[in-house]
Amino acid sequence: SVLSLAAIFGKSFIYLGVGIHRYLIRTFGWIQAMKITDYFTIIAAFIGILNLSVGAQAFSRIIFGIVTGINTILIPTYLTSVLPGAMGGPAGTLNQLFITIGIFFGFWMGYIVVDEQVSDMGWRFIVGLPIIPALIRLHTAQNVYPYL
């Protein structure tokens, strides 16, 4: 389907995000870089949810791909920079575990929505789901770490 092709197309932009992360950290700092990626995650989700055109879906997936690439490097690098050396390994493992759990649940939720035909609009829930962790991290960055 067009939605699957847009997702594959967007994932190819992960490498661009990996290259952008250094610029964001040097220019804005760790916490601000995380906030920026969260804002773009929310924007991409709303574009994907509200606009059904192929161009808007592809644009949404491109933004998701870039943000995923940034977060793939940003979070583990941040963890290793703020944690003592002995904690770096376990923290990286825990981060990877949560990524894997997220992929697992995302796959099964997509399967339920597509296979069971829960709703013809159920895919919007899957596209909009990244808003939740983005809002949690934004809230944490603004209220727990306001000094960074």
Side-chain angles (χ1 to χ4, degrees):
S1 75
V2 173
L3 191 61
S4 299
L5 290 175
I8 292 169
F9 178 69
K11 289 189 188 324
S12 64
F13 284 87
I14 288 175
Y15 299 108
L16 179 62
V18 168
I20 293 173
H21 92 280
R22 266 193 204 138
Y23 170 77
L24 287 174
I25 293 169
R26 289 181 185 155
T27 306
F28 302 106
W30 293 102
I31 302 301
Q32 293 301 323
M34 288 183 204
K35 287 181 182 179
I36 290 168
T37 60
D38 292 336
Y39 289 130
F40 276 103
T41 298
I42 293 167
I43 290 167
F46 276 115
I47 290 171
I49 291 170
L50 300 176
N51 196 331
L52 295 177
S53 73
V54 174
Q57 292 296 319
F59 183 68
S60 172
R61 297 313 187 277
I62 289 170
I63 295 173
F64 272 134
I66 292 171
V67 168
T68 301
I70 293 169
N71 281 324
T72 300
I73 299 296
L74 184 67
I75 302 306
T77 310
Y78 174 72
L79 289 174
T80 57
S81 72
V82 298
L83 293 174
M87 296 285 295
T93 301
L94 192 60
N95 179 50
Q96 197 62 30
L97 176 66
F98 282 125
I99 290 170
T100 306
I101 290 170
I103 292 169
F104 175 78
F105 282 115
F107 171 79
W108 283 107
M109 290 177 70
Y111 176 76
I112 290 168
V113 167
V114 172
D115 192 50
E116 301 291 328
Q117 296 299 322
V118 173
S119 167
D120 59 341
M121 302 306 254
W123 62 269
R124 291 180 192 233
F125 175 75
I126 302 297
V127 172
L129 201 57
I131 293 173
I132 296 169
L135 287 174
I136 291 170
R137 194 167 73 177
L138 271 173
H139 174 75
T140 304
Q142 291 175 350
N143 297 314
V144 177
Y145 302 110
Y147 56 88
L148 295 177

